[in-house]
Structure formats: structure tokens, C-alpha cells
Amino acid sequence: GQNIDQPTEMTATEGAIVQINCTYQTSGFNGLFWYQQHAGEAPTFLSYNVLDGLEEKGRFSSFLSRSKGYSYLLLKELQMKDSASYLCAVSCDYKLSFGAGTTVTVRA
Amino acid sequence: KAGVTQTPRYLIKTRGQQVTLSCSPISGHRSVSWYQQTPGQGLQFLFEYFSETQRNKGNFPGRFSGRQFSNSRSEMNVSTLELGDSALYLCASSLTSGYAGYTFGSGTRLTVV
């Protein structure tokens, strides 16, 4: 089976940094995705990690440790528009298995 | 380049009816997968198609079915609708098997009354 855990909610101040952790135990692994989803909208792709290490893309970075079954998404210089749900998803056997999502609220 | 197109955007059906949802992937994408999103269960995988073949199926009852056409467009069908089928149904397309990333459509919001 698949078990993907991430915190339910996080709150941070505009301009700050937030780190969203994701731990997974899955029967297979082809890579780990992070998606952002605003209320009522489709998930949008943020990052993809298949090898261990850090992937940086602008204000967003994602880290993966396959031996620990662990990933994190780092959001820097938070903006109000970053208030959204962040979804961790593991890819295996032509499907994505999602965590429940972390709702990030950015306050002024 | 057009994104993933899902139709209709909103749908209201009565218990016991059946419904068909449509998904047109990004041009050139041959993999189409379907997900159900509800507040209680989050995003759950329904099935994935590649070149008209179903390669994987999630843990949903047989009332949920799908197919893919030669032009990669896909449809999913839910028969004998139940109140619990009310959800956002999302389609995602990928170039091949997902390594290049999945792009999601805006979804179809299905309400069963």
C-alpha cells in the first residue's frame, strides 16, 4: 500500500520561509512531485525529484532522500499569493499517490 | 499551446443516473489519467490510459470506467450514481509515463443529489 504523510496546516508571515515535510512509504518509487493547488483550481506542477538532493527553482526548492523516504518543499520570500494547498505525490506504476495536502496560509 | 481541457466544468445529476466526463490532453501527450478529489479522501487515482490501453486502475468499484480514443482523448463514465460520488474529477495528461510531469485540467465538479 501507499502511505504519504504531510502536515495538515502551516501559517507563516509574508517574506518568511516555510518548509513542508513529506514522508512516504510506498510499494514502488519512480519519483516525487510537489503540486500547488489554489481553492477551486487545478493542481499546478512545482517540482520533481527522482534522485537524492536539492532541486532549486526560483523561490521554491525541493529535497529528496530516498533512503529515508523523505522530501521537503521550501518556499522562500513568501508572498500572499502563495496561500494554497501543497500536495506531495509519489509516482509509481503510471499513477500518482498523493498526500492529503498541506494548507499554507500567508499572513501580512 | 492549449492545456488539458475537461468538459463539462459543472454537472448536477440525480442518484441512480449515469454520467460521462471528457478530457482532451495536451497535443502530443499520450498518457491520460483520472483522479477523484474530495475533502475527506483527498486526491485518489482512478485509472490511467496510454495509447488506448488501461495500464493501471485504482481501488474504485466497477461503476467507474474509462476509455481512451485513438486521438488520446479520454472519457470516464460513472454508472448508478451515489451521493458519495460527488467530487471534483481531475484529468491529467503526460507525454509518456509521467516522468515528464503531469499537467492537470481544471476538473469537472460533479454533484449528485
Side-chain angles (χ1 to χ4, degrees), chain A residues 30-31 33 35 37 40-45 48 50 87 91-100, chain B residues 9 33 35 37 42-43 45 48 55-56 88 90 97-107 109:
Chain A
N30 291 138
F33 291 85
Y35 281 87
Q37 187 177 28
E41 298 182 11
T44 55
F45 170 81
Y48 172 61
V50 64
L87 303 162
S91 174
C92 180
D93 290 338
Y94 314 118
K95 72 175 185 182
L96 291 174
S97 297
F98 284 87
Chain B
R9 286 297 310 277
S33 47
Y35 293 82
Q37 187 173 31
L43 268 156
F45 171 77
E48 190 264 2
R55 297 193 296 188
N56 202 349
L88 179 66
L90 291 161
S97 59
Y99 294 98
Y102 296 84
T103 302
F104 283 85
S106 297
R109 172 75 62 185

Side-chain angles (χ1 to χ4, degrees), chain A residues 3-7 21-25 34 69 71 88 98-102:
Chain A
N3 190 24
I4 301 167
D5 290 319
Q6 52 181 128
N21 296 323
C22 172
T23 58
Y24 63 90
Q25 289 179 305
W34 284 95
S71 173
C88 170
F98 284 87
T102 300

